[in-house]
Amino acid sequence: MSLNPLDRRTFLGRSAAAGAGVAMAGGAVVGAAGGARAHGHGHGSGLGHGRPGKRYSFTVMGTTDLHGNVFNWDYFTDREYDDAARNDIGLAKISTLVDRVRREKGRRNTLLIDAGDTIQGTQLSYYYAKVDPITARRGPVHPMAKAMNAIGYDAAALGNHEFNYGIPVLRKFEEQCDFPLLGANALDARTLRPAFAPYVIKRLRTPFGRDVRVAVLGLTNPGIAIWDKANVGGKMVFPGLEEQAAKWVPKLRSMGADVVIVSAHSGSSGTSSYGDQLPYVENAAGLVAEQVPGIDAILVGHAHVEIAEHFVVNRATGKRVVLSEPAKWGQRLTLFDFDLVWEKGRWVVERAGSQVLNSNTVAEDRKVVSLLRSEHRKVVAYVNQVIGTSVAAMSTAAAPWRDEPIIDLINQVQTETVAAALAGGEYGALPVLSQASCFSRTAGIPAGDVTIRDAAGLYPFENTLEARLLTGAQLKDYLEYSARYYVRTPAGGPVDTAKLTNAEGIPDYNYDAVSGVTYDIDIAQPVGSRIVELSFGGKAVDPAARFVFAVNNYRASGGGDFPHVPGAKQVWADSDEIRNTIISWVRAKGSVDPAVFASVGWRLTREGTPVFP
């Protein structure tokens, strides 16, 4: 994770005028902030049925959580992307779908927006943030900016992962985009004014002399304040989506918006993964639709789920608001279809609905492929660099329910790194424990040559490493919380691994295995009473004992709402990504031998009997 300091003069200069008015840009009205700009659509055709009853229809297309995917390619496996559902990914596929919709509807009767998480997630996006950074003097244009500009996006909301590489990288990306990045609830911490454009108003020309004014309000995730505290602390604040939507939607209506669409990097479930650490809801899109009058549609992001069409009734007006979320990575394209009628001197939404198109039904757009072929080849060459060898093959396939050597490898690297950093200091004599998660069930280290992509595949996120102090009692609480991940399974009966994990929808990345201690997880017991035989050095862990805990910054800052760690004393922190630490460790060792670090530190049991002997 980048810790580059914010250029305060540049930041304050950009944000000082935020929220103070609007600026005209190429036929679009853009909320002033962050140097945002957009382009209009000129003349279009509508569906006229004569007077009275003038009608016009248009379509808003939407993507979300693209996460650096331009091509239908998996850089961690170095081959075409595929999954069990036969999904395809990437902007090159989305571009083909967009072109098809524009041909069918008429380009001037369409808009294209995104709901955030654009510049993080693949080795392609990582390369142009860290290896050949866009922030360098005479640096390259970010591949996502190139692709989205070529496709012709009208606006994009900010996602939480936009901040992973630091604000300077985000500002440079914003500068390279031909469309505004919207974030009405991303505020300058000093002035409390929007640090980015809050909204854009696009005009669609009808055959009847009165344009349709379509406002797009961008809202991002308040969890940024926790997850990227190192990058945004003291610089930006992120109030709740409902609060900011209630502020801006009436303004947009008073400015003449006929249609109001919210692009929200926030799921629809009304839940949060950071507990009560912030007084805001993480997945608030449904609450926004329910609580804030005047919204016609919400493009939902962040949750990585597919919602073709979902209606929420606004409590104040009784009006139905349509929500849609097009999955992730460019797997789907949302289409919001609006039918408008001219009534009492204004355009009124008569009907709004949505659907999603599957990108696996089309080929990649050759225009986009050709535009970014050079960048793709550079990154493929980069990830295939050999950094060492491995004595044996290791896989994450069973890691969600077994203590596997490949997760031990992550913990070994983290333990050694923290121990070396603290050696000789105040905390150097304390034992070091480490947490690690199975981020992907398809990651692996082959026997023989190990490449950057092999090592990086173990850690696809831009997390950095920290060291916090925990007591034995706090460690027990932490492990109990982690063990919620397992579905309660009575003793004696069969165990189906397909149904054993992800209880209550807990994702794999929110289950932690902890090294340095040994323990059993009794899955026959209720949540909160599952950790047994918790030992250190062959003896039961003393509740008052002190440990150094090697932990990623996401967990340390509250991600997953694990207990104790966010408030625990920090004794060390690194600015480099954990994946780079793993790569450097493999390079330094030259050879990886699981026999050196692999051990069975934890196991699943039922009433004392191991589930997997």
Side-chain angles (χ1 to χ4, degrees):
M1 180 174 293
S2 171
L3 295 179
N4 294 333
L6 175 68
D7 182 336
R8 190 163 181 79
R9 181 176 61 185
T10 302
F11 171 69
L12 294 179
R14 282 176 168 168
S15 61
V22 297
M24 293 300 296
V29 181
V30 184
R37 55 195 184 277
H39 301 291
H41 289 269
H43 298 276
S45 60
L47 298 178
H49 296 277
R51 294 176 181 271
K54 293 181 290 186
R55 282 178 163 78
Y56 175 73
S57 297
F58 71 97
T59 297
V60 177
M61 298 173 281
T63 55
T64 191
D65 294 275
L66 293 167
H67 283 288
N69 286 287
V70 173
F71 303 100
N72 188 43
W73 193 260
D74 185 342
Y75 292 96
F76 292 129
T77 61
D78 198 27
R79 59 177 179 262
E80 185 174 318
Y81 176 85
D82 198 13
D83 65 13
R86 292 292 181 261
N87 286 304
D88 285 349
I89 59 175
L91 275 170
K93 292 262 183 174
I94 290 295
S95 182
T96 302
L97 289 174
V98 168
D99 282 348
R100 191 176 82 187
V101 173
R102 285 171 174 162
R103 285 195 303 270
E104 291 173 355
K105 309 280 187 178
R107 175 161 186 146
R108 296 178 180 88
N109 302 315
T110 65
L111 297 173
L112 175 60
I113 63 176
D114 183 80
D117 275 5
T118 304
I119 60 171
Q120 175 278 340
T122 63
Q123 286 292 284
L124 179 72
S125 53
Y126 176 81
Y127 187 89
Y128 287 97
K130 303 292 290 215
V131 181
D132 185 12
I134 61 174
T135 48
R137 189 168 178 263
R138 297 179 182 173
V141 175
H142 198 288
M144 295 301 287
K146 265 192 179 181
M148 294 174 82
N149 289 342
I151 296 168
Y153 273 77
D154 293 286
L158 294 164
N160 53 286
H161 283 289
E162 258 66 84
F163 295 85
N164 285 173
Y165 297 118
I167 294 172
V169 169
L170 175 54
R171 287 298 188 192
K172 188 63 178 181
F173 174 71
E174 178 189 30
E175 179 186 312
Q176 293 176 342
C177 290
D178 293 340
F179 51 89
L181 301 184
L182 307 178
N185 62 327
L187 309 183
D188 178 345
R190 184 176 65 87
T191 66
L192 297 184
R193 292 176 174 173
F196 295 83
Y199 62 86
V200 63
I201 296 179
K202 307 292 290 187
R203 292 175 179 266
L204 299 179
R205 193 150 299 172
T206 75
F208 308 111
R210 169 69 157 80
D211 294 349
V212 172
R213 298 177 184 177
V214 183
V216 181
L217 177 69
L219 296 169
T220 192
N221 206 288
I224 295 165
I226 290 177
W227 304 320
D228 264 308
K229 183 178 180 180
N231 288 327
V232 302
K235 302 178 181 77
M236 293 186 191
V237 294
F238 302 87
L241 284 84
E242 307 101 303
E243 167 195 322
Q244 293 300 301
K247 172 184 175 180
W248 285 101
V249 171
K251 289 184 179 181
L252 296 172
R253 289 294 184 182
S254 69
M255 291 166 57
D258 302 299
V259 181
V260 174
I261 300 167
V262 175
S263 183
H265 193 75
S266 181
S268 64
S269 65
T271 61
S272 285
S273 67
Y274 47 76
D276 58 2
Q277 295 171 70
L278 280 180
Y280 311 122
V281 177
E282 176 184 351
N283 295 301
L287 297 175
V288 171
E290 181 184 83
Q291 297 176 14
V292 181
I295 298 169
D296 295 295
I298 301 180
L299 177 65
V300 178
H302 184 62
H304 289 204
V305 299
E306 179 180 331
I307 302 173
E309 181 179 63
H310 175 62
F311 289 98
V312 173
V313 176
N314 184 266
R315 288 193 311 214
T317 64
K319 177 183 174 182
R320 295 201 311 169
V321 182
V322 62
L323 281 65
S324 180
E325 182 173 4
K328 62 182 180 181
W329 304 350
Q331 293 175 347
R332 305 289 185 272
L333 176 70
T334 280
L335 302 187
F336 289 110
D337 291 311
F338 297 93
D339 294 334
L340 276 59
V341 62
W342 182 262
E343 288 183 355
K344 298 179 181 178
R346 58 188 291 264
W347 288 109
V348 177
V349 175
E350 187 175 53
R351 189 198 70 85
S354 64
Q355 60 178 303
V356 293
L357 303 182
N358 195 328
S359 66
N360 71 7
T361 62
V362 296
E364 291 185 321
D365 185 339
R366 287 179 292 179
K367 171 182 82 247
V368 175
V369 171
S370 176
L371 182 67
L372 290 159
R373 182 176 286 116
S374 174
E375 287 88 340
H376 174 69
R377 287 173 174 169
K378 281 182 185 177
V379 175
V380 168
Y382 164 74
V383 300
N384 280 293
Q385 293 178 49
V386 175
I387 55 174
T389 60
S390 178
V391 171
M394 293 177 280
S395 168
T396 59
W401 55 85
R402 287 182 186 271
D403 187 348
E404 288 288 299
I406 197 164
I407 305 299
D408 293 337
L409 171 60
I410 298 173
N411 277 325
Q412 180 72 17
V413 172
Q414 294 181 165
T415 300
E416 287 187 16
T417 302
V418 168
L422 297 179
E426 179 181 358
Y427 306 102
L430 292 178
V432 178
L433 313 181
S434 176
Q435 63 80 220
S437 303
C438 176
F439 293 119
S440 167
R441 298 191 185 194
T442 59
I445 298 291
D449 286 347
V450 178
T451 63
I452 284 177
R453 65 179 172 83
D454 296 324
L458 300 182
Y459 228 104
F461 298 106
E462 275 65 46
N463 296 149
T464 56
L465 187 61
E466 298 188 14
R468 303 271 178 138
L469 292 184
L470 288 184
T471 66
Q474 290 173 329
L475 173 66
K476 174 85 159 30
D477 289 346
Y478 189 98
L479 291 170
E480 288 285 9
Y481 184 85
S482 185
R484 302 174 313 132
Y485 172 74
Y486 294 106
V487 174
R488 189 175 183 181
T489 309
V495 176
D496 181 357
T497 56
K499 299 176 181 178
L500 177 63
T501 62
N502 308 100
E504 305 298 326
I506 297 169
D508 291 350
Y509 63 76
N510 273 341
Y511 170 68
D512 288 355
V514 174
S515 69
V517 289
T518 59
Y519 56 96
D520 290 347
I521 303 172
D522 190 337
I523 58 173
Q525 300 304 314
V527 168
S529 302
R530 292 179 169 181
I531 302 301
V532 293
E533 305 294 333
L534 177 58
S535 303
F536 173 76
K539 297 180 180 179
V541 167
D542 181 350
R546 293 203 305 166
F547 298 94
V548 172
F549 194 45
V551 59
N552 69 52
N553 69 303
Y554 172 78
R555 192 72 78 233
S557 61
D561 198 28
F562 277 63
H564 304 305
V565 172
K569 181 178 176 61
Q570 183 193 81
V571 297
W572 178 81
D574 196 7
S575 62
D576 204 6
E577 292 93 352
I578 291 170
R579 84 166 125 222
N580 282 344
T581 305
I582 296 171
I583 291 167
S584 298
W585 187 90
V586 173
R587 273 195 171 122
K589 297 290 184 184
S591 178
V592 178
D593 185 356
V596 174
F597 54 80
S599 63
V600 179
W602 64 273
R603 60 181 183 170
L604 300 185
T605 62
R606 289 183 295 180
E607 298 179 358
T609 302
V611 175
F612 304 106

